[in-house]
Amino acid sequence: MEIPFLSLKEITTSFGNELIENVIQTVNSGWYIHGDRCRQFEDAYSTFTGAKHCIGVGNGLDALILILRAYKELGLMKDYDEVIVPANTYIATLLAITANNLTPVLVEPDITHYCIDSNKIEQVITPKTKAIMPVHLYGQLCDMDRILEIARNFGLKVIEDAAQSHGAIYKGRRSGNLGDAAGHSFYPGKNLGALGDAGAVTTSDDELASMVRALANYGSQKKYVNLTKGFNSRLDEIQAGILTVKLARLDADNQLRRNVVEAYQQGIRNHKIVLPVVLHGEAAHVHHVYVVRVEDREDFQRYLTHKGIQTVIHYPIPPHKQEAYKELAHLSLPITEQIHRQVISLPLSPFLTKEQIAYVIDVVNAW
């Protein structure tokens, strides 16, 4: 049996002709940037998250860059200010910080759930600290009550990296509406994925939303009138229309993901495999990926490949060990490094069949 890690074609075709018809309508409309479809998606996604504003942008990295750039333009941050961020995130989180000439301060995750260890945040706060950027890694929401409490006590902004947590709910509130602002990625492989690059910023801060929208459009709120030095990062009409269609089914698809994970959690009984831990109740995890830990990852991955099971490693090299951030290579982050040495993601899709799930479980247990 051959089991792909994630079949984007299968997800796309599950919508029948709805996506194709939406694309054709957009093409025939003659309007391709900042039109009705973008506004419709922004309205729908702000309603979905509960945030007052949604600004569609080019991708998830741009979303985080724009939030930080907007805070600088508003005078709330300046060059070399510090942003606290988990050490075991995808490199894009750090890229957004350094792109704004700000300083990332890396904090170790909790080894049980892989999100930032909220008990280690206070000890790295300095007079230069201006924000905490929690990453809802693998689809699991961070310990937001504690993070928000720390932010209030020290006067810090909380910027969610919500690239992997579309639809997750923390004590009645959605991901993207838990802090001061949030960056979202709609890369095709995400739970809410476009058919190309796309992203969004959500916030309930009117001033921030206005600045983000202007910065993403060349620094302009009125055509040919540029109030600040912006750049071009806009959600195009075709992707906006696709996202609106897919958003209507997001909660249902996330539940299908939870069903697969429940089967894995109950069925995998190999003592050499460390299974993920779910925090804050089922709704707070949307299982963007199903990540397990094994000590002999190379052997495990070879074995699964031989059995026809495709896997992916999220992520093999932590940011502070990347050549791009060689200035951080001296940091001692043993938990992060252990996680990046051992994690491997098993197949996870809303459309895995019972037979496919059972096969994965049997093969994993037999290793």
Side-chain angles (χ1 to χ4, degrees):
M1 185 179 293
E2 297 291 327
I3 302 180
F5 175 75
L6 175 68
S7 172
L8 295 180
K9 182 178 179 181
E10 185 177 27
I11 291 172
T12 301
T13 57
S14 72
F15 287 89
N17 290 325
E18 194 173 3
L19 296 180
I20 295 172
E21 290 170 359
N22 195 286
V23 171
I24 291 171
Q25 290 169 10
T26 305
V27 171
N28 290 337
S29 75
W31 196 289
Y32 309 121
I33 294 287
H34 278 180
D36 289 342
R37 278 169 173 75
C38 185
R39 285 189 290 271
Q40 287 167 4
F41 174 71
E42 289 177 341
D43 289 347
Y45 199 62
S46 65
T47 298
F48 179 80
T49 61
K52 186 176 180 182
H53 303 280
C54 172
I55 304 98
V57 299
N59 54 68
L61 174 56
D62 281 2
L64 294 175
I65 290 174
L66 283 161
I67 293 167
L68 292 169
R69 185 73 56 85
Y71 279 132
K72 291 184 74 175
E73 291 289 338
L74 294 170
L76 299 177
M77 295 182 188
K78 62 182 185 303
D79 284 356
Y80 311 117
D81 280 343
E82 297 172 350
V83 178
I84 294 171
V85 66
N88 67 314
T89 183
Y90 183 56
I91 197 170
T93 318
L94 270 71
L95 289 172
I97 298 169
T98 55
N100 281 291
N101 207 22
L102 299 168
T103 303
V105 177
L106 277 57
V107 172
E108 288 268 62
D110 186 301
I111 189 64
T112 61
H113 54 71
Y114 313 133
C115 291
I116 190 169
D117 188 337
S118 57
N119 294 316
K120 295 178 180 176
I121 292 175
E122 282 190 78
Q123 63 198 48
V124 301
I125 294 175
T126 74
K128 287 189 172 184
T129 306
K130 292 297 184 292
I132 305 169
M133 189 178 284
V135 179
H136 304 312
L137 197 66
Y138 308 147
Q140 172 138 260
L141 297 183
C142 298
D143 182 10
M144 293 305 296
D145 278 354
R146 180 64 182 135
I147 291 170
L148 291 167
E149 179 187 22
I150 294 169
R152 285 192 299 269
N153 291 342
F154 288 89
L156 308 177
K157 296 295 183 183
V158 175
I159 303 163
E160 297 173 77
D161 183 336
Q164 301 183 12
S165 58
H166 312 122
I169 300 173
Y170 182 91
K171 300 183 179 180
R173 298 179 69 183
R174 295 266 191 188
S175 168
N177 188 33
L178 300 173
D180 295 286
H184 306 258
S185 167
F186 304 122
Y187 182 77
K190 305 294 188 182
N191 294 38
L192 179 60
L195 298 187
D197 271 325
V201 171
T202 54
T203 182
S204 292
D205 182 330
D206 294 344
E207 194 174 23
L208 179 69
S210 179
M211 181 59 72
V212 167
R213 192 174 291 280
L215 286 167
N217 188 37
Y218 301 101
S220 172
Q221 292 176 321
K222 180 181 179 183
K223 196 167 186 178
Y224 303 131
V225 178
N226 301 79
L227 303 178
T228 188
K229 298 183 182 78
F231 58 104
N232 176 15
S233 181
R234 299 179 294 200
L235 175 63
D236 72 66
E237 289 288 279
I238 288 177
Q239 301 302 343
I242 287 165
L243 288 169
T244 301
V245 171
K246 297 181 83 172
L247 178 61
R249 214 179 73 186
L250 178 59
D251 279 338
D253 282 353
N254 281 342
Q255 187 54 51
L256 292 174
R257 288 175 174 270
R258 292 189 186 101
N259 294 344
V260 175
V261 169
E262 183 180 5
Y264 281 163
Q265 295 286 89
Q266 292 180 358
I268 296 175
R269 290 290 180 266
N270 188 325
H271 70 277
K272 293 184 285 187
I273 311 293
V274 180
L275 303 183
V277 172
V278 177
L279 305 175
H280 318 304
E282 280 188 7
H285 203 324
V286 292
H287 301 288
H288 169 55
V289 285
Y290 184 78
V291 178
V292 301
R293 281 195 355 259
V294 295
E295 289 193 12
D296 193 350
R297 182 173 65 190
E298 289 186 6
D299 180 73
F300 184 57
Q301 188 171 43
R302 280 195 300 268
Y303 165 76
L304 292 178
T305 301
H306 178 71
K307 296 292 186 179
I309 298 172
Q310 185 182 28
T311 57
V312 176
I313 296 172
H314 296 95
Y315 304 97
I317 306 172
H320 73 287
K321 293 299 183 183
Q322 297 281 1
E323 181 67 19
Y325 284 105
K326 56 189 174 186
E327 68 272 20
L328 302 176
H330 67 283
L331 295 176
S332 176
L333 298 164
I335 297 174
T336 293
E337 290 166 22
Q338 178 187 349
I339 289 170
H340 285 254
R341 267 196 322 271
Q342 296 179 345
V343 290
I344 183 168
S345 301
L346 301 182
L348 177 56
S349 162
F351 301 105
L352 281 179
T353 66
K354 290 181 179 179
E355 292 74 20
Q356 288 175 319
I357 296 167
Y359 179 72
V360 172
I361 292 170
D362 288 344
V363 169
V364 169
N365 285 336
W367 179 62

